[in-house]
Amino acid sequence: MSDAREYIEPVVIDRDADSPEQSEKPIETEKTVDNSDNSVIHSEDIHDADDPRSAIAEKHARKQRAELGIDEPEARPDALVTVKINGKERQVSQSKVDAAGGLDVYQKRLAAEDKLQEVSLEKKAIEAQKSKLQREAEEFKRWQQQQIQRLAQEKQTLAANAGNATGQPQQGIKPDTALKDLVRKHREALFDGDDDRADELMVQIQRYGAGPKPPPINEREIEHRTYQRIQQRLAQEQAHRDLAKAQQDFSSQYGDIVGDDRLFQMADQETIRLKNQNPSWSDRQVIMQAGENVRQWRDQMMGVDSRSVSGDKTQAKRGMSSARAASGRSPSRPQPRPSTPSEYVESLRASRGQDI
Amino acid sequence: MTGTAMYLGASAEMETAADYTIEKAKLGVEAENFLSTSLGRYLLDRSEVEVERLMRELVDTPTENTDANNRIRNQIAVARQFRDWVTEAIAEGRIAHDELREREAYE
């Protein structure tokens, strides 16, 4: 019995093949076929069902298709679906949505991931800023120490100069008449044997050139002031970050107000009014309450219940249906009617407490 | 086209007029708001006090003294200017607001 391998040529796998047909190309052999009846022999005739080469060829073809990732039946292109994550619309494949367990679950998961990423980025930025401020504080402390040492050395120098009672004028300093007088009296007291008098005069001579005493250096006070300054700076930066975050949240939650210039102006003035009425409120509270007040006023003017338009987002999401693969888009919410000029003027009057 | 023209569907000339009406209405609101502030009330009271004082002075001035009469009358007119200007702005603002409502009602 002949070895089947005699009849098999090595299979060259074409990894760039992009069609199943190439992988299914039949393996041609050089087998001698019986052509005694002069019939036309085609290459596909070689593949007999009972021919072991066919089985081996089919096995190689399957392996090749698996390596190329070609499925049977042929995979259809994945449809795109529009999902809304944190107020922003994205196009994602239907398969991903299905794999996640549905549109709602997918949206929630992505929204949570976005928020987590945002929070981790903010945390990193805060940590970086904190370490930077700590380094600056340490550098400032080192500089302070150097200043303290320098001042201490100067103090010693001044004390040394004031203690020079030889009567000889120092370099660059004109001899003072009063000092000379003191030195003379001190000499006379020594000659007279009046020690007490001589000691008093010596003390006066020492104090004479010293000038006003420099204030004592309080290291603790310097450290305390430095610490307070750093704390104030950190608090200011935190307040700026909180304000920026509140403004960002306002843009996402009250996009309809931000998109309308007049409503936005109303909300801006409302923030001033609320801040004057409630000085203890944080910037975030003022901004969000202003947005809510403007939205409620607008909905009252248009005769719309605010809860049905914007209020309970959870209820809105539960009522949302999954996007159909054929359309790939979820129905959009109808945009509120823009306010008319007279309504705008009425809103100005209302915000100032005037009669409409 | 501006947002105002978008509401009125107006031509370029009317667009300018519509903007002007809105600006007058806004000015009226600002003027009324100004009178509700401390400074506005103070100026208004000062104006009224000055007018009252000048009126008393006018009553006490002899009729034949035309120069003094004219001087006092001029001073009264000046003292009333501030009140007149502010109330005029408020009134025109209200009228402009009514005009806007009427236009929108007919659209």
Side-chain angles (χ1 to χ4, degrees), chain B residues 21-93:
Chain B
T21 307
I22 293 172
E23 291 306 317
K24 277 205 295 184
K26 282 165 65 176
L27 184 64
V29 173
E30 294 292 333
E32 203 167 329
N33 186 55
F34 173 68
L35 288 186
S36 68
T37 62
S38 303
L39 178 61
R41 286 198 298 272
Y42 166 75
L43 291 174
L44 197 65
D45 290 344
R46 278 290 300 267
S47 169
E48 290 175 356
V49 164
E50 183 69 9
V51 167
E52 286 176 8
R53 183 188 69 79
L54 289 169
M55 291 290 275
R56 284 196 294 273
E57 187 178 343
L58 184 65
V59 167
D60 294 339
T61 304
T63 315
E64 353 14 295
N65 192 348
T66 53
D67 288 343
N69 277 294
N70 288 337
R71 177 182 56 80
I72 294 169
R73 285 177 191 280
N74 286 336
Q75 287 176 346
I76 291 171
V78 168
R80 279 178 173 169
Q81 282 294 310
F82 167 75
R83 187 193 63 187
D84 291 344
W85 287 335
V86 174
T87 52
E88 185 180 337
I90 293 173
E92 286 189 0

Side-chain angles (χ1 to χ4, degrees), chain A residues 89-104:
Chain A
E89 288 187 351
R90 289 188 207 174
Q91 297 279 331
V92 296
S93 60
Q94 181 68 43
S95 59
K96 283 187 182 176
V97 172
D98 293 339
L103 186 66
D104 291 344

Side-chain angles (χ1 to χ4, degrees), chain A residues 123-139:
Chain A
K123 192 177 171 186
K124 280 182 189 171
I126 289 170
E127 290 294 330
Q129 187 69 13
K130 188 178 170 184
S131 59
K132 181 185 168 190
L133 285 172
Q134 281 175 347
R135 280 197 302 274
E136 287 179 1
E138 286 169 4
E139 282 177 12

Side-chain angles (χ1 to χ4, degrees), chain A residues 7-275:
Chain A
Y7 304 104
I8 299 171
E9 286 181 357
V11 175
V12 177
I13 298 175
D14 185 2
R15 296 197 182 276
D16 292 332
D18 56 356
S19 65
E21 290 73 19
Q22 279 199 353
S23 61
E24 291 176 353
K25 195 191 295 187
I27 298 172
E28 295 180 2
T29 65
E30 292 180 354
K31 179 187 176 185
T32 305
V33 298
D34 184 10
N35 195 22
S36 57
D37 57 355
N38 293 323
S39 62
V40 177
I41 296 176
H42 301 281
S43 59
E44 51 270 32
D45 293 339
I46 298 173
H47 292 284
D48 195 318
D50 295 329
D51 190 349
R53 290 171 295 175
S54 298
I56 294 169
E58 179 60 23
K59 182 181 172 184
H60 278 285
R62 276 203 301 274
K63 187 179 173 185
Q64 194 173 359
R65 284 198 294 275
E67 283 174 352
L68 292 175
I70 296 168
D71 294 330
E72 289 170 337
E74 196 175 299
R76 63 177 173 82
D78 206 0
L80 292 178
V81 174
T82 302
V83 296
K84 198 165 185 181
I85 309 293
N86 292 329
K88 294 178 188 171
E89 288 187 351
R90 289 188 207 174
Q91 297 279 331
V92 296
S93 60
Q94 181 68 43
S95 59
K96 283 187 182 176
V97 172
D98 293 339
L103 186 66
D104 291 344
V105 175
Y106 184 76
Q107 281 182 330
K108 284 177 189 171
R109 196 183 78 184
L110 277 195
E113 284 175 2
D114 280 356
K115 284 288 181 187
L116 279 172
Q117 191 178 14
E118 198 179 297
V119 167
S120 75
L121 284 174
E122 278 182 8
K123 192 177 171 186
K124 280 182 189 171
I126 289 170
E127 290 294 330
Q129 187 69 13
K130 188 178 170 184
S131 59
K132 181 185 168 190
L133 285 172
Q134 281 175 347
R135 280 197 302 274
E136 287 179 1
E138 286 169 4
E139 282 177 12
F140 185 76
K141 192 173 177 179
R142 275 197 293 274
W143 177 82
Q144 286 285 347
Q145 292 293 331
Q146 289 171 1
Q147 293 300 314
I148 290 167
Q149 286 175 1
R150 186 179 65 82
L151 286 170
Q153 284 174 0
E154 284 180 3
K155 183 181 174 184
Q156 285 178 0
T157 307
L158 282 171
N161 289 339
N164 185 5
T166 58
Q168 298 293 328
Q170 294 182 18
Q171 274 189 343
I173 300 176
K174 286 186 178 176
D176 193 355
T177 308
L179 181 61
K180 283 171 75 175
D181 189 46
L182 281 174
V183 170
R184 182 180 55 75
K185 287 178 183 177
H186 175 259
R187 192 169 60 246
E188 289 172 0
L190 284 175
F191 285 149
D192 295 340
D194 189 352
D195 293 338
D196 292 334
R197 175 82 178 138
D199 291 343
E200 285 175 12
L201 287 167
M202 176 56 77
V203 169
Q204 286 180 24
I205 290 168
Q206 282 182 350
R207 286 180 187 165
Y208 187 81
K213 277 190 178 178
I217 296 168
N218 190 342
E219 295 177 14
R220 278 205 173 274
E221 190 180 344
I222 292 171
E223 283 179 15
H224 181 65
R225 282 187 197 169
T226 307
Y227 175 76
Q228 277 186 333
R229 216 172 294 159
I230 290 171
Q231 288 297 319
Q232 283 173 4
R233 197 166 153 189
L234 280 174
Q236 282 174 2
E237 290 188 359
Q238 183 62 38
H240 285 145
R241 275 195 295 273
D242 290 344
L243 179 61
K245 185 74 170 62
Q247 287 170 345
Q248 196 180 357
D249 291 344
F250 180 85
S251 296
S252 65
Q253 289 185 27
Y254 298 97
D256 51 342
I257 292 175
V258 173
D260 187 324
D261 286 343
R262 296 191 181 106
L263 289 178
F264 187 76
Q265 283 183 17
M266 268 188 70
D268 193 26
Q269 287 166 357
E270 183 69 4
T271 58
I272 297 171
R273 188 185 73 82
L274 285 171
K275 191 66 180 177

